[in-house]
Amino acid sequence: MKTILTLLSLIPALAFAWQPTKPVTVIFPNAPAAGNEISFRIVASIVERQTDIKFINEHRPGADGNIAMNHFVKVPTDGYTIAVPACQSSWVTSPIWYPTVAKYNATEFEAVANIARSPLAFWAHTGSNINTPQDLVAAIQNKQRPLVFAIGGAGHKLAVEYLTMHLKVPNGDRVETVAYKGPAQALLDVMGGHVEFGVTPVTVGWPYVKAGKLKIIGIANEQPLKGLENVPLMKNVVPGLSIHGCWNLVLPPNTPKEIQSWYREQFVPAIRSAEAAEKFAANMMFISPGEHSPEGVQASMTRLRQVWQPVAGKITPSD
């Protein structure tokens, strides 16, 4: 009996080998109001309510996320600092576009799960005469005027470059991209009339469309997005133009297993919950259950590299 009681007394300690006892810092590699912050806050609110742990945002924009991730790779592996980098920026383009700037290898992050995805969308100022993907393609091919796109990340630039490559338009030939510290900041300039076009995840721009401040041209997705079934797909005029914003929750390299386990046990159920599903749908996001494990994230990022690194290799960030 004494032995049984001793074993029972150990169960709480074994079940909760590690858990936070103070607020956790969340590093976002961009300015506020980007897709990674929107998606994280949806699931973090659930985790906070269930665990009484608080998450504190820390934005470190610059060099397409590399400033933040260079810092993140050096933080203590004590579980009190996590990050939510964008898939394309950290895993795909950084080693190609920023080989001397990026001081980390994204494959060495301890992945918890992919939080959510949102297809990229092509936007226009409400005063633009471009309304559809066909209009946009015609404007590029006619070469009547320069077309400038505000972007907030590497994936956004890849979408524009894929478009121009398909149309056989040389880099910089009347089609330019202007990089901002985040997608929300890029769209502010589109809405303000300083830049005619923008490319960001749907989740960032759709609220502005509903408010009448922005116009959507098309979505870079394989199928219509629920709730936006009447919005054209870019792939119908540019085959293969399907690219998402996606955001992985990661811990620093070599974080202890018990810390990794706590984050998976708390966040994966939150990501898969009915409450999160409702909020994801309202924000034009969706989840990928196959990416809710370290192995799933790594496999997904490997596939992403195979598809988009050949495109990234044909351009430079200043093109």
Side-chain angles (χ1 to χ4, degrees):
M1 179 61 74
K2 184 177 180 181
T3 301
I4 294 174
L5 290 174
T6 300
L7 290 173
L8 288 173
S9 69
L10 290 174
I11 289 177
L14 292 173
F16 301 101
W18 181 89
Q19 59 182 332
T21 58
K22 61 182 181 180
V24 173
T25 297
V26 189
I27 294 179
F28 296 101
N30 40 257
N36 53 358
E37 182 179 11
I38 297 170
S39 63
F40 178 80
R41 291 313 310 176
I42 288 173
V43 294
S45 64
I46 299 172
V47 175
E48 286 177 331
R49 190 170 64 247
Q50 295 176 344
T51 64
D52 202 31
I53 300 300
K54 300 300 180 185
F55 297 95
I56 301 173
N57 292 6
E58 182 177 305
H59 295 272
R60 287 176 171 261
D64 195 31
N66 288 298
I67 299 299
M69 301 317 290
N70 283 345
H71 165 76
F72 178 70
V73 79
K74 299 176 184 177
V75 302
T77 58
D78 57 6
Y80 288 103
T81 306
I82 60 179
V84 190
C87 298
Q88 298 282 6
S89 295
S90 290
W91 276 266
V92 176
T93 61
S94 285
I96 297 176
W97 291 352
Y98 300 96
T100 62
V101 176
K103 305 299 182 182
Y104 63 91
N105 181 346
T107 63
E108 295 177 355
F109 295 145
E110 306 295 354
V112 175
N114 178 269
I115 300 175
R117 293 173 171 271
S118 183
L120 297 190
F122 284 70
W123 314 96
H125 180 261
T126 55
S128 173
N129 64 350
I130 305 299
N131 298 297
T132 67
Q134 290 84 354
D135 290 343
L136 182 61
V137 167
I140 294 173
Q141 291 175 327
N142 291 341
K143 301 180 180 181
Q144 294 178 346
R145 59 188 175 89
L147 304 180
V148 181
F149 292 81
I151 59 172
H156 316 167
K157 182 173 180 63
L158 285 174
V160 177
E161 297 296 344
Y162 185 95
L163 171 63
T164 57
M165 286 179 183
H166 177 81
L167 299 176
K168 297 181 172 55
V169 175
N171 288 342
D173 186 7
R174 285 172 291 280
V175 179
E176 299 180 13
T177 56
V178 179
Y180 290 74
K181 290 186 176 181
Q185 292 67 35
L187 290 186
L188 284 176
D189 260 12
V190 177
M191 290 184 287
H194 307 296
V195 181
E196 186 174 359
F197 305 103
V199 175
T200 75
V202 176
T203 187
V204 180
W206 183 244
Y208 299 118
V209 173
K210 292 193 293 183
K213 299 179 179 180
L214 189 66
K215 184 163 56 176
I216 188 166
I217 298 172
I219 297 176
N221 201 33
E222 287 298 322
Q223 60 277 324
L225 198 60
K226 185 177 180 180
L228 301 180
E229 289 84 359
N230 293 327
V231 176
L233 298 178
M234 296 299 298
K235 72 163 193 171
N236 291 337
V237 293
V238 184
L241 183 45
S242 177
I243 182 169
H244 299 163
C246 78
W247 309 283
N248 292 326
L249 175 60
V250 299
L251 291 157
N254 302 313
T255 296
K257 296 296 183 182
E258 61 268 24
I259 296 176
Q260 296 183 45
S261 295
W262 185 88
Y263 277 97
R264 283 195 294 274
E265 290 165 5
Q266 301 303 324
F267 273 87
V268 172
I271 293 169
R272 295 179 173 181
S273 69
E275 179 182 343
E278 182 178 351
K279 292 180 179 178
F280 284 145
N283 284 277
M284 302 301 166
M285 296 179 176
F286 58 88
I287 66 171
S288 302
E291 300 174 12
H292 292 168
S293 68
E295 299 77 15
V297 170
Q298 292 293 351
S300 176
M301 295 304 99
T302 297
R303 291 192 297 271
L304 199 66
R305 286 182 166 200
Q306 291 170 346
V307 172
W308 288 102
Q309 281 193 334
V311 178
K314 295 178 181 179
I315 56 179
T316 66
S318 60
D319 281 341

